[in-house]
Amino acid sequence: GRVPGLVMQNRHNYAQDLQVSSRGFGARASFGTRGVRLVQDGIPLTMPDGQGQTALFDLDAARRVEVLRGPFAALYGNSSGGVVNVFTDDGPRAPTVEASGWAGSFDAWRTALRAGGALGDWRTRLDASRFMTDGYREHSAARRDQANARFRREGEDGASLTLLANALDQPDTQDPLGLTQAQLDADRRQAGTNALRFDTRKSVRHSQGGLAYERPLSAQDTLRVRGYGGTRQVMQFLAFSGAAPTSSGGVVDLDRSFGGGSVQWIRKGELGTGAYTLTLGADYDTMQERRRGFVNDFGRAGALRRDEDDTVTSADQYAIGEWRFAPRWTLSGGVRRSSVRFRAQDAFITAQNPDDSGAVRYARTSPVAGLAYALTDAVNVYVAAGRGFETPTLAELAYRPDGQPGLNFALQAARSTNYEAGVKLVLGDAARATLAVFRSDVRDEIVSGPQLQPGRNTFVNAGRTRRDGVELAVQGALGGGFSALAAWTWLDAAFRDLVTPGGANLDGNRLPG
């Protein structure tokens, strides 16, 4: 929340996780995070289709968090309206053990244990935690167990190898659902409609591992290689039965495996009168999931209503550079080519439920450029512009708004053109400030469509939208160990071209969220 332009919506519902939006991107996410890319120690926590979860972050061991907004975020690929990048520490050199805990209202408590030290040439860090609560509202109890491990080794030749492992276990997290205004006025602590009747809840088990290898090839060249893989199982009970022959069921059973890798070559040198940095890279990410749906028999899984195998692959290539071509001028830029492919193979085919198999591919080239000028040693001004894109997620492709069978492959990827200008100031020895103005024009914005039956949320493209905004951030030391910061954002996000299927003209209406 200290970063201007970034909005964290805490739903206070552990079955839905936080919603993160950056300059309006990601505000449509009904659960988890969409449109904003999540990364930890170089390993993506966002799947190739653009869906991510902030619960996977290891914030106990975070050394710093970097947030990237504006045109240059597009260089991270699909669904990069913004980027949140968490870097964890390497662990202590001396053997260390630390325990912590807290307790509060509604039987909420958390315990955590951290340990670390040096094992030969390796610096290690291990941490585990458990959080539990009965919840403020009826039917909102949750338990969350997390464990993380990091091992890092640095060689005398400058090469380094880092191994990472993360696990999350969140069984039977109760979902109290949302409330209407009338329900909120009557009893804000009650569960939503049908939450108790269908025992709405969600179980998640997620584990993944990764490695990062970095090696200097020369005084100018460096090679970086990363790889990761993992599994995720989700069982969710929704607030309806899903018993109709064409329904996908009221129970979601998802079993996913995922993985990927990247390679980067970085060169630093002199060109003309100034220094430059050039990065060439390629990423490949994939996920395969078995998705099944069952009738929700009042809190128990009943008859099968959905059975399909879904695959998403993403292949990207990019070049990023920065060049100080004159004493006070810096030119930055890059280009990224992204190709994302979705494929569904339907195994539940009946007379009432025809074959929903199909495939679709989205591809886009995203160029970005920026120019910075140092007015003085303490004042920099800059301008930047670029293009980005965002594909639908698997959940948004699930159903067609016309009610016909098959996935919604007519849904297009959103394409954005982003502009930004600003000034960065150093104020004295221990303070700094930034001011930015920006505009984002988006074509084919992905928005909610008609809900044809309970549980079948559909999505459509909205023509054109525009986001205009101003951001201001100031931070500095007050002395005596104290510091202060302030962040202010003004954002105007509205439809510029949207007519609903029913003929209503929504031009000028604010974007939801």
Side-chain angles (χ1 to χ4, degrees), residues 37 71-72 100-101 110-111 119 185 200 229 335 347 373 375 420 495:
R37 200 149 192 86
F72 276 85
S100 62
R110 185 179 189 270
T111 58
L119 295 176
D185 293 339
T200 52
V335 61
Y373 177 69
L375 292 172
E420 180 178 351
F495 293 106

Side-chain angles (χ1 to χ4, degrees), residues 290-293 304-309 345-348:
R290 177 77 176 275
R291 183 181 291 266
R292 296 187 295 171
L304 184 68
R305 286 293 183 270
R306 183 178 185 178
D307 189 0
E308 68 186 43
D309 291 310
Q345 185 66 43
D346 192 359
F348 185 74

Side-chain angles (χ1 to χ4, degrees), residues 150-221:
R150 177 185 172 102
F151 304 88
R152 179 176 174 84
R153 182 182 185 274
E154 295 185 1
E156 295 181 356
D157 57 356
S160 66
L161 177 64
T162 304
L163 304 178
L164 305 165
N166 313 90
L168 168 69
D169 185 23
Q170 193 171 321
D172 289 327
T173 300
Q174 294 177 339
D175 188 352
L177 304 179
L179 299 178
T180 65
Q181 185 66 53
Q183 290 172 324
L184 186 71
D185 293 339
D187 180 8
R188 66 188 305 114
R189 295 183 63 178
Q190 67 176 305
T193 304
N194 286 330
L196 299 178
R197 184 184 183 195
F198 290 102
D199 194 9
T200 52
R201 62 193 189 276
K202 183 178 183 180
S203 296
V204 178
R205 179 169 291 178
H206 182 108
S207 61
Q208 70 179 72
L211 61 86
Y213 178 72
E214 181 172 329
R215 183 181 186 87
L217 302 178
S218 68
Q220 294 179 310
D221 302 304

Side-chain angles (χ1 to χ4, degrees), residues 6-27:
L6 203 67
V7 177
M8 313 295 294
Q9 293 280 24
N10 188 346
R11 299 179 173 101
H12 299 283
N13 183 340
Y14 293 98
Q16 294 184 354
D17 208 355
L18 297 177
Q19 181 198 74
V20 182
S21 63
S22 175
R23 296 183 175 178
F25 292 99

Side-chain angles (χ1 to χ4, degrees), residues 338-354:
S338 300
S339 176
V340 186
R341 179 176 174 82
F342 294 78
R343 182 177 180 273
Q345 185 66 43
D346 192 359
F348 185 74
I349 304 172
T350 67
Q352 296 84 14
N353 193 336

Side-chain angles (χ1 to χ4, degrees), residues 369-384:
L371 185 65
Y373 177 69
L375 292 172
T376 69
D377 291 342
V379 182
N380 280 14
V381 294
Y382 68 93
V383 293

Side-chain angles (χ1 to χ4, degrees), residues 395-458:
E396 292 167 340
L397 290 171
Y399 310 112
R400 290 173 51 171
D402 59 6
Q404 297 300 308
L407 299 184
N408 187 17
F409 288 138
L411 190 61
Q412 300 296 310
R415 297 161 294 157
S416 62
T417 303
N418 308 291
Y419 309 93
E420 180 178 351
V423 57
K424 301 183 179 182
L425 306 92
V426 177
L427 307 173
D429 295 332
R432 52 184 176 160
T434 60
L435 174 67
V437 295
F438 63 88
R439 166 171 289 182
S440 294
D441 292 310
V442 183
R443 290 186 177 272
D444 295 324
E445 182 95 39
I446 300 171
V447 298
S448 296
Q451 188 178 52
L452 304 178
Q453 55 181 279
R456 284 207 165 187
N457 297 316
T458 67

